[in-house]
Amino acid sequence: MANKGQKASGTRTAYISTVVGVVLVLFFVGLVAWFGLGLTKLKDSKIESYEIDLYFADHVNDLELGIIETEISHQPFASSAKYRTADDAWNTYITEIDPDADLGILDDENPLKQHIILTLNKDYFYLDSVAKIEAQLTKEYAGSLEEMSYREDVFEDYSTNLQKIIYFVLLLAALMLFIAIAMINNTIRLALFSKRFLIKTMQLVGATPRFIRRPFILNAVGQGIISGLLAGSMVMGLVLLLEKANPLFAQMTDINIFIIVMGAIICFGVLITVISTHLALRKYLRLNLDKLY
């Protein structure tokens, strides 16, 4: 009875140790994956919220600008296009920039011009693409479009500098993935090492390799699911804490990213535990009895 209790306790300890090891590895992999996806989302949201102002001459009336707005919004490079009158532009200026501004000082002449606010699709958020768009619009609306206003440094910051950070995170994710595979594989090999005599005994009494593998593979699937759920929950909990600490992190995530990261962690946990278990079992099934010692 004591031996049976000790064996059951040892089995539970080995199972828990394996799960803990896999959870820790999956947690760091999931955290890096979330950070990479979050940075990409942040970049895309910043890109598609950046406004380029298209200023038109005073002789272009509201009807013509409405038509131009529709034409530009249907261009492949446009995420959106919105017409803003000079009065609306002034109201926005005093609301968001200078509440004390007064047209009386300017002889009641609005210094701002009517314009169309253009936001770009992320695939066109490059300085050379903007230059081509500017040349295209200047040609199409010659005599009407007076200026296309944007800051060149913004495109370098988002399309170059932020992209470098994303590439670095992806490289880090690939490195973490390699380390994770090696660590989980070693953890499972060590867990099965203590059962090598049981495996060989089952084989000697006539059990087929498929029959021997089945309980171990099912156990590996359970370990992968449990480890993935625990690791995913840890990642989500840490992300929620980061969101409360800094609002910027709230812009880096949404329910879709939560689902993707959780699903990826669980799938990766199951896949790597099953593959590692299968490879370890194949090794012990092929070993001679003398080599087990």
Side-chain angles (χ1 to χ4, degrees):
M1 292 294 290
N3 289 335
K4 289 184 179 180
Q6 291 175 354
K7 288 182 179 180
S9 177
T11 301
R12 285 195 298 270
T13 301
Y15 185 90
I16 293 173
S17 300
T18 303
V19 169
V20 170
V22 176
V23 165
L24 292 176
V25 175
L26 291 179
F27 169 72
F28 288 108
V29 172
L31 195 60
V32 173
W34 168 82
F35 194 65
L37 292 173
L39 278 179
T40 302
K41 180 181 181 295
L42 180 63
K43 175 191 172 186
D44 293 345
S45 64
K46 293 294 184 182
I47 283 175
E48 297 192 350
S49 64
Y50 179 71
E51 298 179 348
I52 297 175
D53 295 319
L54 307 176
Y55 292 101
F56 288 83
D58 293 334
H59 65 78
V60 184
N61 58 45
D62 291 346
L63 178 60
E64 291 173 322
L65 281 171
I67 295 173
I68 293 173
E69 173 191 23
T70 302
E71 291 174 347
I72 293 177
S73 65
H74 286 88
Q75 293 284 353
F77 57 76
S79 175
S80 67
K82 182 179 179 181
Y83 167 51
R84 178 182 287 173
T85 65
D87 291 337
D88 289 338
W90 177 257
N91 291 331
T92 301
Y93 176 80
I94 63 176
T95 301
E96 300 180 359
I97 300 176
D98 187 3
D100 298 326
D102 186 3
L103 283 178
I105 302 176
L106 304 171
D107 297 328
D108 291 326
E109 290 186 9
N110 190 344
L112 303 179
K113 292 185 177 182
Q114 57 185 351
H115 59 282
I116 290 176
I117 302 170
L118 169 66
T119 59
L120 298 175
N121 284 323
K122 60 182 180 180
D123 295 335
Y124 292 86
F125 204 84
Y126 300 95
L127 201 55
D128 55 347
S129 298
V130 175
K132 293 177 182 178
I133 293 169
E134 184 176 10
Q136 175 187 335
L137 295 178
T138 302
K139 181 180 179 181
E140 290 182 3
Y141 304 108
S144 299
L145 179 61
E146 292 185 340
E147 181 187 0
M148 181 170 171
S149 177
Y150 58 90
R151 290 172 49 193
E152 294 184 0
D153 59 307
V154 171
F155 293 90
E156 293 183 2
D157 289 340
Y158 285 118
S159 62
T160 303
N161 297 334
L162 188 55
Q163 192 63 45
K164 288 180 180 179
I165 297 176
I166 293 174
Y167 287 148
F168 173 76
V169 172
L170 291 176
L171 179 62
L172 182 62
L175 180 61
M176 287 290 296
L177 193 63
F178 177 78
I179 295 174
I181 292 173
M183 292 185 66
I184 293 175
N185 185 56
N186 287 335
T187 300
I188 291 176
R189 280 180 176 273
L190 288 174
L192 289 178
F193 180 77
S194 61
K195 299 180 181 179
R196 64 192 186 282
F197 291 108
L198 173 63
I199 295 170
K200 183 56 65 175
T201 300
M202 293 172 67
Q203 189 177 24
L204 291 174
V205 297
T208 62
R210 183 177 181 181
F211 179 83
I212 296 172
R213 289 193 190 101
R214 187 182 299 116
F216 289 100
I217 295 297
L218 292 176
N219 188 54
V221 172
Q223 287 178 337
I225 294 175
I226 293 173
S227 300
L229 288 172
L230 291 175
S233 300
M234 290 168 61
V235 171
M236 298 308 120
L238 180 59
V239 169
L240 291 176
L241 290 176
L242 291 174
E243 287 182 3
K244 292 181 179 179
N246 191 328
L248 180 63
F249 290 105
Q251 301 177 36
M252 293 175 59
T253 192
D254 56 27
I255 188 62
N256 292 327
I257 291 180
F258 276 136
I259 294 173
I260 291 172
V261 172
M262 179 66 81
I265 290 175
I266 293 174
C267 290
F268 178 70
V270 172
L271 183 65
I272 192 62
T273 52
V274 168
I275 291 176
S276 297
T277 300
H278 177 78
L279 293 176
L281 284 171
R282 185 174 66 175
K283 172 187 175 181
Y284 292 125
L285 288 172
R286 290 179 176 181
L287 281 179
N288 292 327
L289 187 59
D290 295 336
K291 294 183 178 180
L292 292 179
Y293 295 91

